[in-house]
């Protein structure tokens, strides 16, 4: 083999080696970058009939207790996602299995709607339950046009995650 042929062969071999090393380096760098990213918070899904919306947590501390000063701020946040509910329909709320394992509460406009933490991955509610109001005299008032539903992941009395969904009364749209 001539000297020129050997140089050409070495060049193609060294080029393949450089390409392989570059590809390996890119993959390694990508894995390092992915491991540095935060995992997304678990999602909550609200479903009415065939329509559904999913939302990420307003506050989530990787399953650990959210500091008390943050809890107040998170509970005061407004929902970013909305879904329409007719009073004759059912609203199904679904949570991540880890959230269900810990337990979760439902608040409607800041007031507790479930007496004990739920331990299921989903729960159904009648649509009319969210829009009823009473006047100061105790008489039924006109139905509300919307309600904010807040789901709270709880563990050992601590809030670990907070999600919000806005419900629109389909009858008033």
């Amino acid at each position: 083999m001539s000297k020129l042929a050997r140089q050409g062969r070495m060049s193609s071999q060294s080029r393949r080696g450089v390409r392989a090393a570059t590809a390996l380096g890119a993959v390694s760098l990508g894995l390092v970058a992915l491991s540095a990213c935060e995992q997304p918070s678990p999602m909550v899904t609200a479903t009415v009939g065939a329509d559904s919306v999913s939302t990420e947590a307003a506050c989530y501390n990787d399953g650990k207790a959210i500091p008390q000063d943050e809890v107040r701020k998170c509970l005061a946040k407004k929902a970013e996602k909305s879904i329409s509910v007719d009073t004759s329909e059912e609203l199904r709320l679904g949570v991540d299995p880890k959230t269900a394992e810990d337990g979760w509460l439902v608040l409607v406009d800041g007031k507790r709607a479930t007496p004990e933490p739920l331990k299921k991955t989903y729960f159904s509610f009648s649509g009319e339950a969210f829009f009823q109001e009473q006047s100061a005299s105790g008489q039924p008032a006109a139905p509300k046009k919307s309600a904010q539903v807040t789901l709270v992941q709880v563990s050992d009395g601590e809030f670990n995650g907070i999600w919000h969904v806005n419900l629109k009364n389909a009858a008033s749209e």
Side-chain angles (χ1 to χ4, degrees):
M1 195 183 293
S2 72
K3 184 175 181 183
L4 188 56
R6 276 183 284 174
Q7 285 178 340
R9 198 170 101 183
M10 282 200 249
S11 294
S12 76
Q13 284 178 343
S14 62
R15 275 185 265 163
R16 274 188 246 143
V18 167
R19 282 193 299 247
T22 302
L24 184 61
V27 168
S28 298
L29 184 59
L31 290 174
V32 168
L34 283 175
S35 67
C37 294
E38 283 186 33
Q39 289 184 329
S41 68
M43 301 289 279
V44 161
T45 302
T47 305
V48 177
D51 297 329
S52 66
V53 295
S54 295
T55 186
E56 288 190 26
C59 291
Y60 189 74
N61 191 20
D62 199 29
K64 299 177 195 104
I66 300 169
Q68 282 299 325
D69 59 327
E70 288 295 313
V71 167
R72 286 186 204 90
K73 291 177 191 174
C74 289
L75 289 172
K77 288 183 180 180
K78 297 294 179 196
E80 293 180 7
K81 303 280 180 114
S82 296
I83 191 165
S84 293
V85 183
D86 190 275
T87 56
S88 64
E89 294 179 303
E90 278 196 353
L91 170 72
R92 292 179 303 280
L93 298 171
V95 299
D96 184 85
K98 172 67 173 124
T99 302
E101 185 179 304
D102 287 347
W104 53 287
L105 298 169
V106 178
L107 309 176
V108 178
D109 292 330
K111 296 176 185 140
R112 200 165 170 170
T114 52
E116 296 293 323
L118 302 169
K119 296 281 192 169
K120 299 177 179 183
T121 56
Y122 80 96
F123 201 81
S124 296
F125 298 89
S126 169
E128 68 185 346
F130 298 100
F131 305 113
Q132 295 175 348
E133 269 193 317
Q134 290 186 352
S135 66
S137 65
Q139 298 296 318
K144 297 188 291 185
K145 293 184 179 186
S146 66
Q148 179 160 299
V149 173
T150 302
L151 282 74
V152 180
Q153 179 182 359
V154 293
S155 181
D156 298 325
E158 301 287 341
F159 287 15
N160 297 352
I162 300 171
W163 295 261
H164 300 290
V165 176
N166 187 52
L167 304 181
K168 295 179 185 177
N169 187 341
S172 65
E173 290 182 327

